[in-house]
Amino acid sequence: MKKLVIALGVSVLLGACAGSGMSNASSNAATPMVGGAPMYPTKDIVDNAVNSKDHTTLVAAVKAADLVATLKSPGPFTVFAPTNASFAALPAGTVDTLLKPENKATLTKVLTYHVVPGRMDSAALTSAINAGGGKATLKTASGGTLTATMSGGTVWVTDAKGGTAAVTIANVYQSNGVIHVVNKVLLPG
């Protein structure tokens, strides 16, 4: 179960919000496009993510952390998936350092921090935010917490260090969960 939760965190990196006030241009499409590739709801998180040209860094990280099997499991998982540009915005050398075998535990913690057990689409996120008086606390697969809020129709996710990421593509449904693409890597405390 712990490995499944860790894999869930990785899938978060692979995976925004439509309807219920969340912005997402592709959420109304039967098969949304992410990174130039269709994201089929009948495929799992990994099988879809490997086709997104915007998530090659995330896929490499998931492989380096040995989380592929976990993210191919039944789940369900909610993944807040940072893009390649999100990883590129980290301080120089960060990604290369995390991908080294000796840093696998740290990489796994970062990846699973992007995964929330269960399937929380935009409607569920919006409901949780409203029920929480404007914010929802989400428990991650790594054991940390993320805080979701909404402003101007956009869902924002705040990490333990106070960094915020916007959901740029929401409700990318997978056979084992849902991905929300985010514009920043979220960092655990």
Side-chain angles (χ1 to χ4, degrees):
M1 179 68 171
K2 183 175 182 180
K3 195 168 190 177
L4 178 65
V5 172
I6 290 174
L8 179 64
V10 174
S11 63
V12 169
L13 296 178
L14 299 174
C17 301
S20 302
M22 293 180 163
S23 63
N24 177 7
S26 66
S27 66
N28 295 326
T31 304
M33 301 291 285
V34 175
M39 297 289 115
Y40 297 105
T42 56
K43 291 187 175 185
D44 64 48
I45 292 166
V46 174
D47 288 346
N48 272 320
V50 298
N51 295 316
S52 170
K53 68 179 180 178
D54 291 342
H55 292 93
T56 57
T57 303
L58 179 61
V59 169
V62 168
K63 289 177 180 178
D66 288 328
L67 293 172
V68 172
T70 303
L71 293 177
K72 289 182 76 55
S73 71
F77 310 112
T78 300
V79 175
F80 294 96
T83 61
N84 293 342
S86 302
F87 282 102
L90 293 171
T94 301
V95 173
D96 290 337
T97 299
L98 284 171
L99 292 176
K100 291 181 179 179
E102 62 268 24
N103 295 320
K104 183 177 174 181
T106 302
L107 176 62
T108 299
K109 183 174 181 178
V110 170
L111 292 176
T112 57
Y113 188 66
H114 289 80
V115 178
V116 174
R119 183 185 299 252
M120 291 195 75
D121 64 8
S122 61
L125 280 170
T126 299
S127 178
I129 291 167
N130 290 338
K135 68 179 180 178
T137 301
L138 310 173
K139 183 81 167 177
T140 70
S142 71
T145 58
L146 295 168
T147 303
T149 58
M150 192 178 301
S151 177
T154 298
V155 170
W156 293 88
V157 182
T158 304
D159 65 24
K161 296 188 180 276
T164 58
V167 173
T168 58
I169 301 174
N171 296 339
V172 183
Y173 294 105
Q174 316 288 294
S175 64
N176 61 345
V178 61
I179 292 173
H180 301 296
V181 178
V182 294
N183 66 353
K184 185 176 178 194
V185 175
L186 300 162
L187 300 173

